[in-house]
Amino acid sequence: LCAVSLHLEYCIHMGSPQCNTDQLRRVGDDVSVGEKCLWAGIHLQYSVNISLLLTVLQKSPCSKCVACVENRVLEVSVSLLTEHFHMQSESLIKPLMQTISHQHYRVRVDVIQATGTVIQFGNGKSVDDVLSHLAQRLFDEIPKVRQAVTTVVGEWLLHLRDRYSYFHKLIPLLLSSVTDDIPENITLAWTYWEKIGLQWEKENEEDLKDKMDFSVPPSHYPKGVTRPGLGCRELVSRNLSKVLPALCRDVTDWVESTRVKASQLLYVLLLHAEDHITQHMELLLRTLYQACLDEESEVVRNCVKAAELIGTFVSPKVSLRLITSAFEVTPKPSCLMVLAAVIRGSPKEILQPHLSDLGDTLSQAGVCQQSEEVLYMEQLLCCVRALIEVCQEDCQEICLQLMKVLVTVMAVPSSQHLKEKAEETMCSLAEVQQLDGFLYLYRQHILQLLEWVSVSHDSWTCYSPEILQLDVIATHSGPVIGEALHDFILILKTCLQPNKDPQMRLKLFTVLSELLQKANETINSQGLFPHYLEIVIKDILAPNLQWHAGRTAAAIRTTAVSCLWALIHCQMLAPEEILKVKDALMPQIIAAMDEDSKISRLMGCRIVGGILKVCGRQFDEIQLGKTYPEVLKRLDDASPDVQLTAAHTLTDWFKCLKGSDVKSAMKSHIEFLYQELLIHLDDQDPDTQNAVLEVLKEGSILYPELLVREVEIAIDKHRTPVYCKQLLHHIQTTREPA
């Protein structure tokens, strides 16, 4: 045998002069007829094992020559030595597989072709030995290598003697090529696949006779997709149970490229399997739930397309029951993603009977309030959009449930884009019902929505999601909230009691304050809010103006004062209403002007000024005497805004005494005010000086002689007499006409 090997090596090098590196023009140079005869003669005369030939060839320094000669050797052996080749073919597999990953792509192509020839005319059992290697070549970056795999597998599926035994192993390889990046490879794969399906259809015509004669095409099919032939569909359906478990493992493999390829193949298989998917639903859903959380977007995209096919081919009675049962454990974003895809893939008429159940499931607190994660809420929103897109006007049946979901999505904090998408979806929901806008949806369901959020309002805390939902309903519904004022005020009355959670009260007061700033466009849109003013002031605002220790309590007092100012500023409080509540409110308002919060002090001054303007003339000397001291203190405030507001309030106080019956009784208070204001007239801040000057000008009408005397005493003590002289000039000017 050693002697034969030496002679063979000599013959090979002598018989392959075109493989010299200096003369090699192209890898695929034809082997001459004489060389073919040489290889045939060697084999016939010496019965040499062909693997020995390949072993000798692999020692050649020219790797491209190796590939050419290997392929030619096998072609010659097959064409001339068919009766001997079958016995020798298994010995070729190992050296071929050792070369299949060669660095030169032409070598890889020739080895794949040679492998196809060996197994086609040799022992078919060798398919198991080469499958993994061929599958790996489907990831080859060179299109011609992937094309070679497609050709070899296609030929096997058409002509391999034992092909029926290997359908479940070869079909995935061929169908993986129909999602190739190169159009030529896709066309080649589909061409082979159609031939294979037609051939199998003819070979099994008796079994398929009923389906061929009476089969009805599905009424609903993915748009833009051509339905595979009967033979192709049957081949996949009959082998799906053998292919799917391994494929599902690959979809969740740790290698990214494997996951992408497997997810592409999953879609193709489900497209062929059609309603046969039903028996594999549990495995499929488990896989899709995991794959839809993949970091690779292409994997997610392919799995979503596969889930849409479930909606197309599987009865909603089966698919929705299995999917919604997953929500009973721990709903995940991927579960919602799959559900949305199934809904999109379902035909309207088949989905309609299940609308009510779907709406109830999505609006359950355990589903729509399960998580505030943005991805989760996005997929929840996708489910609603899918229902609107598919069911159109039928969504009127579950409009309330969808509104609950949309309100919950909009209530997610710190996600403005999500809120905008939810509002767009709400507009779409109104449009399919032929309504002019989402406000009409609120008008239809405002009472039901308020009832929904207030089920447990007596036990709300700052962490209750219902607070955020109420915020959305109250602020987003615009003028519609004014139509449900009774229910809304009762919720506020219960939740804003001093014994409730402080943080929760602070949030609700913020909502109320926001509404009061545009009262006529929100809570007073129907003109009914004045009927509830007494409840708002006595039962809601007044109790929360009481002093309590802590920053949260101080913040609550601030928002309560802001709400009260909004009521007065928008002139919803009539003079008679203010007179009813002033005795209860004035002590708290005056106390608010001494708060640490600048806003509280500012609002307190404004409220006192507003009350004085409206009904100050109805105040007696005791009430007027208790009002001004705290306002006077605010002229020393650290905030310039508070100082100026306090000055304006004192102006209003003086106006209340003009022509009043209590003027004489208040003379000592007026004299004290003159003295204090003259001190502030010498303030370092020019704005404060001007403001105080205007106050004194207004107050000079009451007792001008008294004020002149006080100015003459104070003028020598001021750093500059300018403002005092202006005041004296003003007094003299106003007295002359008199």
Side-chain angles (χ1 to χ4, degrees):
L1 187 60
C2 293
V4 172
S5 299
L6 292 173
H7 286 88
L8 282 174
E9 185 172 2
Y10 174 76
C11 290
I12 288 168
H13 285 291
M14 290 297 293
S16 303
Q18 76 275 24
C19 293
N20 186 281
T21 54
D22 296 330
Q23 300 175 357
L24 187 59
R25 296 280 183 178
R26 52 188 289 273
V27 174
D29 285 343
D30 291 334
V31 180
S32 67
V33 177
E35 288 172 327
K36 291 183 181 180
C37 295
L38 173 65
W39 304 128
I42 290 172
H43 190 83
L44 287 170
Q45 292 296 322
Y46 297 102
S47 297
V48 179
N49 190 312
I50 297 177
S51 63
L52 176 61
L53 295 178
L54 299 181
T55 303
V56 174
L57 288 169
Q58 287 168 353
K59 296 178 181 179
S60 169
C62 178
S63 59
K64 295 181 181 179
C65 175
V66 172
C68 282
V69 177
E70 281 181 348
N71 202 25
R72 299 306 184 270
V73 167
L74 293 171
E75 288 176 356
V76 173
S77 299
V78 171
S79 59
L80 300 179
L81 310 172
T82 304
E83 67 277 10
H84 299 282
F85 184 76
H86 186 275
M87 300 175 60
Q88 300 290 337
S89 65
E90 288 187 59
S91 61
L92 300 175
I93 299 302
K94 184 177 180 180
L96 284 171
M97 293 305 99
Q98 288 174 344
T99 319
I100 200 169
S101 58
H102 198 277
Q103 61 180 343
H104 295 300
Y105 84 88
R106 289 188 177 89
V107 175
R108 300 197 295 274
V109 170
D110 280 338
V111 169
I112 291 168
Q113 293 171 348
T115 302
T117 304
V118 168
I119 293 178
Q120 184 73 48
F121 297 98
N123 191 342
K125 294 180 181 180
S126 300
V127 169
D128 291 327
D129 299 326
V130 304
L131 274 178
S132 61
H133 297 279
L134 292 178
Q136 194 62 40
R137 289 306 99 208
L138 288 174
F139 296 93
D140 201 293
E141 60 183 7
I142 304 299
K144 286 188 177 298
V145 177
R146 302 196 300 272
Q147 186 182 70
V149 175
T150 303
T151 303
V152 166
V153 174
E155 289 295 325
W156 285 350
L157 285 168
L158 283 172
H159 306 298
L160 193 67
R161 285 190 295 271
D162 299 331
R163 61 183 181 278
Y164 274 61
S165 302
Y166 296 103
F167 273 148
H168 66 285
K169 297 181 180 181
L170 296 177
I171 288 174
L173 294 183
L174 182 63
L175 291 183
S176 294
S177 296
V178 303
T179 57
D180 199 275
D181 298 331
I182 305 301
E184 290 80 2
N185 288 359
I186 296 174
T187 303
L188 179 65
W190 276 119
T191 302
Y192 268 114
W193 182 233
E194 288 170 3
K195 290 179 181 178
I196 293 161
L198 289 172
Q199 176 180 290
W200 189 87
E201 194 175 324
K202 290 179 182 178
E203 293 171 351
N204 298 270
E205 189 172 352
E206 288 299 321
D207 293 344
L208 301 177
K209 186 172 180 57
D210 289 343
K211 292 185 179 181
M212 293 169 68
D213 294 340
F214 306 109
S215 177
V216 179
S219 58
H220 184 73
Y221 204 75
K223 294 180 180 179
V225 179
T226 303
R227 191 185 187 200
L230 176 61
C232 297
R233 300 197 308 271
E234 283 295 316
L235 271 173
V236 170
S237 300
R238 298 189 181 199
N239 291 279
L240 190 62
S241 59
K242 300 175 183 177
V243 175
L244 203 56
L247 180 62
C248 288
R249 286 194 297 272
D250 283 348
V251 171
T252 57
D253 193 77
W254 67 277
V255 180
E256 181 183 304
S257 57
T258 302
R259 298 198 304 273
V260 171
K261 203 74 174 176
S263 63
Q264 292 172 338
L265 178 58
L266 179 64
Y267 170 79
V268 176
L269 290 177
L270 296 189
L271 184 66
H272 284 75
E274 296 188 353
D275 57 348
H276 291 85
I277 299 171
T278 306
Q279 57 189 307
H280 306 287
M281 279 294 293
E282 291 189 3
L283 173 60
L284 273 174
L285 289 176
R286 283 200 306 272
T287 304
L288 292 174
Y289 292 155
Q290 186 174 350
C292 284
L293 294 174
D294 201 288
E295 296 177 354
E296 175 55 47
S297 60
E298 189 173 353
V299 174
V300 176
R301 187 164 54 251
N302 292 329
C303 288
V304 168
K305 286 172 59 181
E308 289 176 359
L309 294 180
I310 293 177
T312 303
F313 298 123
V314 179
S315 167
K317 187 176 181 180
V318 176
S319 60
L320 296 181
R321 179 177 59 81
L322 290 172
I323 295 172
T324 54
S325 64
F327 294 151
E328 297 173 4
V329 188
T330 303
K332 296 182 290 186
S334 56
C335 297
L336 292 170
M337 192 182 299
V338 171
L339 176 59
V342 170
I343 293 171
R344 283 195 299 272
S346 301
K348 175 183 177 180
E349 58 278 3
I350 294 178
L351 193 61
Q352 200 280 333
H354 305 276
L355 267 182
S356 180
D357 292 337
L358 274 172
D360 292 339
T361 299
L362 292 175
S363 61
Q364 286 176 3
V367 177
C368 67
Q369 298 176 17
Q370 172 66 27
S371 171
E372 291 185 355
E373 182 187 358
V374 173
L375 177 60
Y376 185 90
M377 286 299 175
E378 283 178 343
Q379 297 311 314
L380 186 62
L381 188 58
C382 283
C383 291
V384 177
R385 296 173 79 135
L387 283 170
I388 296 171
E389 179 184 338
V390 173
C391 299
Q392 295 291 309
E393 68 278 0
D394 291 343
C395 287
Q396 185 173 1
E397 178 185 341
I398 56 168
C399 184
L400 176 61
Q401 292 95 318
L402 297 185
M403 283 292 289
K404 291 177 182 179
V405 176
L406 293 173
V407 165
T408 304
V409 173
M410 294 177 72
V412 175
S414 66
S415 182
Q416 184 61 31
H417 82 282
L418 201 57
K419 187 173 181 178
E420 292 171 358
K421 286 183 179 179
E423 187 170 322
E424 291 174 6
T425 307
M426 200 176 286
C427 291
S428 300
L429 181 58
E431 185 178 345
V432 297
Q433 297 182 55
Q434 298 181 347
L435 299 175
D436 291 337
F438 65 84
L439 290 181
Y440 289 90
L441 294 175
Y442 279 113
R443 184 161 284 122
Q444 288 179 353
H445 303 293
I446 186 68
L447 293 176
Q448 295 162 303
L449 289 172
L450 287 175
E451 182 183 357
W452 165 60
V453 296
S454 63
V455 170
S456 60
H457 71 291
D458 193 44
S459 58
W460 282 358
T461 67
C462 62
Y463 302 107
S464 300
E466 291 84 358
I467 298 174
L468 299 174
Q469 292 166 350
L470 180 64
D471 183 359
V472 171
I473 294 169
T475 57
H476 192 244
S477 62
V480 181
I481 190 63
E483 301 174 14
L485 213 51
H486 177 75
D487 300 71
F488 182 62
I489 295 298
L490 287 182
I491 294 173
L492 294 182
K493 180 181 176 181
T494 302
C495 296
L496 290 175
Q497 294 306 304
N499 61 337
K500 298 296 182 180
D501 180 49
Q503 291 287 349
M504 182 264 291
R505 285 188 288 144
L506 182 58
K507 290 181 179 180
L508 289 179
F509 264 123
T510 304
V511 174
L512 180 59
S513 177
E514 184 178 345
L515 293 174
L516 288 173
Q517 289 174 13
K518 297 181 179 179
N520 292 329
E521 300 173 16
T522 55
I523 54 176
N524 197 37
S525 62
Q526 306 301 311
L528 300 175
F529 189 71
H531 299 150
Y532 298 92
L533 280 174
E534 189 172 352
I535 295 175
V536 171
I537 293 173
K538 288 186 176 180
D539 298 333
I540 295 177
L541 296 180
N544 287 281
L545 288 171
Q546 296 286 345
W547 190 90
H548 294 281
R551 293 183 179 179
T552 303
I556 291 172
R557 292 194 298 275
T558 300
T559 53
V561 168
S562 300
C563 290
L564 184 57
W565 165 243
L567 284 174
I568 295 173
H569 182 66
C570 64
Q571 298 179 348
M572 278 195 294
L573 275 176
E576 56 272 15
E577 293 288 341
I578 294 177
L579 285 172
K580 288 180 183 178
V581 299
K582 68 179 178 61
D583 293 335
L585 285 179
M586 285 304 291
Q588 281 83 11
I589 296 169
I590 291 172
M593 289 190 287
D594 198 30
E595 289 276 2
D596 292 336
S597 168
K598 169 196 166 182
I599 296 176
S600 291
R601 302 194 304 273
L602 184 63
M603 293 300 168
C605 292
R606 287 178 177 176
I607 291 170
V608 171
I611 292 174
L612 290 172
K613 284 179 181 178
V614 174
C615 57
R617 289 186 173 274
Q618 281 76 36
F619 280 27
D620 57 26
E621 63 270 20
I622 297 175
Q623 292 169 332
L624 287 171
K626 290 180 178 179
T627 303
Y628 78 86
E630 192 61 43
V631 180
L632 183 61
K633 289 181 184 177
R634 292 307 103 210
L635 292 176
D636 290 320
D637 200 278
S639 168
D641 294 336
V642 177
Q643 290 177 346
L644 297 178
T645 305
H648 295 318
T649 303
L650 288 172
T651 301
D652 295 327
W653 189 87
F654 278 128
K655 288 179 180 178
C656 294
L657 292 172
K658 186 177 180 180
S660 174
D661 296 337
V662 298
K663 173 184 171 182
S664 57
M666 296 296 297
K667 184 175 181 179
S668 60
H669 293 283
I670 295 170
E671 182 180 2
F672 175 74
L673 259 177
Y674 286 164
Q675 294 169 357
E676 293 298 315
L677 288 171
L678 285 170
I679 295 173
H680 290 287
L681 192 62
D682 195 34
D683 196 276
Q684 294 181 355
D685 182 19
D687 293 334
T688 303
Q689 288 178 298
N690 287 319
V692 172
L693 178 61
E694 293 302 319
V695 176
L696 286 168
K697 286 180 180 180
E698 185 64 39
S700 66
I701 300 173
L702 300 177
Y703 292 102
E705 298 86 356
L706 178 60
L707 180 56
V708 169
R709 187 167 61 250
E710 293 296 336
V711 172
E712 290 173 348
I713 295 172
I715 191 170
D716 295 330
K717 300 176 183 178
H718 283 202
R719 287 169 295 180
T720 173
V722 174
Y723 290 96
C724 288
K725 290 180 180 179
Q726 289 182 18
L727 179 57
L728 289 172
H729 177 71
H730 172 77
I731 295 171
Q732 184 180 1
T733 304
T734 53
R735 287 175 66 186
E736 284 176 357

